[in-house]
PDB file of all heavy atoms in Angstrom:
ATOM      1  N   CYS Y  47      44.966  78.195  58.330  1.00  0.00           N
ATOM      2  CA  CYS Y  47      43.659  78.323  57.767  1.00  0.00           C
ATOM      3  C   CYS Y  47      43.317  79.859  57.557  1.00  0.00           C
ATOM      4  O   CYS Y  47      44.242  80.653  57.682  1.00  0.00           O
ATOM      5  CB  CYS Y  47      42.583  77.732  58.616  1.00  0.00           C
ATOM      6  SG  CYS Y  47      42.224  78.572  60.226  1.00  0.00           S
ATOM      7  N   HIS Y  48      42.123  80.099  57.161  1.00  0.00           N
ATOM      8  CA  HIS Y  48      41.721  81.519  57.035  1.00  0.00           C
ATOM      9  C   HIS Y  48      40.579  81.792  58.033  1.00  0.00           C
ATOM     10  O   HIS Y  48      39.409  81.773  57.767  1.00  0.00           O
ATOM     11  CB  HIS Y  48      41.226  81.771  55.601  1.00  0.00           C
ATOM     12  CG  HIS Y  48      42.282  81.651  54.598  1.00  0.00           C
ATOM     13  ND1 HIS Y  48      43.273  82.566  54.369  1.00  0.00           N
ATOM     14  CD2 HIS Y  48      42.535  80.581  53.741  1.00  0.00           C
ATOM     15  CE1 HIS Y  48      44.095  82.083  53.399  1.00  0.00           C
ATOM     16  NE2 HIS Y  48      43.632  80.850  53.051  1.00  0.00           N
ATOM     17  N   PRO Y  49      40.954  81.993  59.331  1.00  0.00           N
ATOM     18  CA  PRO Y  49      40.021  82.070  60.402  1.00  0.00           C
ATOM     19  C   PRO Y  49      39.160  83.347  60.299  1.00  0.00           C
ATOM     20  O   PRO Y  49      39.544  84.385  59.790  1.00  0.00           O
ATOM     21  CB  PRO Y  49      40.882  82.125  61.647  1.00  0.00           C
ATOM     22  CG  PRO Y  49      42.103  82.773  61.208  1.00  0.00           C
ATOM     23  CD  PRO Y  49      42.335  82.332  59.812  1.00  0.00           C
ATOM     24  N   ARG Y  50      37.959  83.262  60.880  1.00  0.00           N
ATOM     25  CA  ARG Y  50      37.147  84.353  61.084  1.00  0.00           C
ATOM     26  C   ARG Y  50      37.593  85.110  62.324  1.00  0.00           C
ATOM     27  O   ARG Y  50      37.920  84.476  63.366  1.00  0.00           O
ATOM     28  CB  ARG Y  50      35.679  83.883  61.298  1.00  0.00           C
ATOM     29  CG  ARG Y  50      34.644  84.974  61.491  1.00  0.00           C
ATOM     30  CD  ARG Y  50      33.185  84.387  61.423  1.00  0.00           C
ATOM     31  NE  ARG Y  50      33.116  82.980  61.754  1.00  0.00           N
ATOM     32  CZ  ARG Y  50      32.845  82.495  62.858  1.00  0.00           C
ATOM     33  NH1 ARG Y  50      32.588  83.331  63.886  1.00  0.00           N
ATOM     34  NH2 ARG Y  50      32.714  81.188  63.016  1.00  0.00           N
ATOM     35  N   LEU Y  51      37.743  86.423  62.303  1.00  0.00           N
ATOM     36  CA  LEU Y  51      38.167  87.137  63.431  1.00  0.00           C
ATOM     37  C   LEU Y  51      37.041  88.038  63.965  1.00  0.00           C
ATOM     38  O   LEU Y  51      36.296  88.668  63.172  1.00  0.00           O
ATOM     39  CB  LEU Y  51      39.359  88.046  63.125  1.00  0.00           C
ATOM     40  CG  LEU Y  51      40.649  87.281  62.623  1.00  0.00           C
ATOM     41  CD1 LEU Y  51      41.704  88.408  62.323  1.00  0.00           C
ATOM     42  CD2 LEU Y  51      41.173  86.377  63.666  1.00  0.00           C
ATOM     43  N   CYS Y  52      37.000  88.205  65.242  1.00  0.00           N
ATOM     44  CA  CYS Y  52      36.063  89.205  65.872  1.00  0.00           C
ATOM     45  C   CYS Y  52      36.989  90.008  66.767  1.00  0.00           C
ATOM     46  O   CYS Y  52      37.515  89.507  67.762  1.00  0.00           O
ATOM     47  CB  CYS Y  52      35.009  88.450  66.734  1.00  0.00           C
ATOM     48  SG  CYS Y  52      33.922  89.597  67.626  1.00  0.00           S
ATOM     49  N   ILE Y  53      37.154  91.251  66.415  1.00  0.00           N
ATOM     50  CA  ILE Y  53      38.130  92.173  67.074  1.00  0.00           C
ATOM     51  C   ILE Y  53      37.242  93.175  67.793  1.00  0.00           C
ATOM     52  O   ILE Y  53      36.530  93.998  67.223  1.00  0.00           O
ATOM     53  CB  ILE Y  53      38.998  92.938  66.069  1.00  0.00           C
ATOM     54  CG1 ILE Y  53      39.693  91.876  65.182  1.00  0.00           C
ATOM     55  CG2 ILE Y  53      39.952  93.833  66.810  1.00  0.00           C
ATOM     56  CD1 ILE Y  53      40.343  92.484  63.984  1.00  0.00           C
ATOM     57  N   GLN Y  54      37.316  93.190  69.155  1.00  0.00           N
ATOM     58  CA  GLN Y  54      36.588  94.114  69.934  1.00  0.00           C
ATOM     59  C   GLN Y  54      37.525  95.324  70.268  1.00  0.00           C
ATOM     60  O   GLN Y  54      38.624  95.084  70.823  1.00  0.00           O
ATOM     61  CB  GLN Y  54      35.990  93.514  71.172  1.00  0.00           C
ATOM     62  CG  GLN Y  54      34.958  92.446  70.796  1.00  0.00           C
ATOM     63  CD  GLN Y  54      34.358  91.797  71.996  1.00  0.00           C
ATOM     64  OE1 GLN Y  54      34.755  92.008  73.109  1.00  0.00           O
ATOM     65  NE2 GLN Y  54      33.428  90.944  71.781  1.00  0.00           N
ATOM     66  N   THR Y  55      37.018  96.537  69.990  1.00  0.00           N
ATOM     67  CA  THR Y  55      37.782  97.703  70.359  1.00  0.00           C
ATOM     68  C   THR Y  55      36.950  98.580  71.219  1.00  0.00           C
ATOM     69  O   THR Y  55      35.724  98.289  71.444  1.00  0.00           O
ATOM     70  CB  THR Y  55      38.151  98.532  69.038  1.00  0.00           C
ATOM     71  OG1 THR Y  55      36.922  99.065  68.541  1.00  0.00           O
ATOM     72  CG2 THR Y  55      38.833  97.697  68.072  1.00  0.00           C
ATOM     73  N   ARG Y  56      37.521  99.667  71.746  1.00  0.00           N
ATOM     74  CA  ARG Y  56      36.697 100.603  72.553  1.00  0.00           C
ATOM     75  C   ARG Y  56      35.587 101.245  71.847  1.00  0.00           C
ATOM     76  O   ARG Y  56      34.560 101.574  72.337  1.00  0.00           O
ATOM     77  CB  ARG Y  56      37.609 101.626  73.225  1.00  0.00           C
ATOM     78  CG  ARG Y  56      38.563 101.066  74.250  1.00  0.00           C
ATOM     79  CD  ARG Y  56      39.527 102.166  74.698  1.00  0.00           C
ATOM     80  NE  ARG Y  56      40.543 101.597  75.557  1.00  0.00           N
ATOM     81  CZ  ARG Y  56      41.599 100.891  75.154  1.00  0.00           C
ATOM     82  NH1 ARG Y  56      41.795 100.683  73.924  1.00  0.00           N
ATOM     83  NH2 ARG Y  56      42.436 100.431  76.063  1.00  0.00           N
ATOM     84  N   GLY Y  57      35.776 101.317  70.492  1.00  0.00           N
ATOM     85  CA  GLY Y  57      34.753 102.017  69.647  1.00  0.00           C
ATOM     86  C   GLY Y  57      33.736 101.104  69.013  1.00  0.00           C
ATOM     87  O   GLY Y  57      32.727 101.535  68.483  1.00  0.00           O
TER      88      GLY Y  57
END
Side-chain angles (χ1 to χ4, degrees):
C47 71
H48 298 284
R50 182 171 21 97
L51 299 180
C52 179
I53 307 164
Q54 294 180 356
T55 69
R56 289 174 188 80

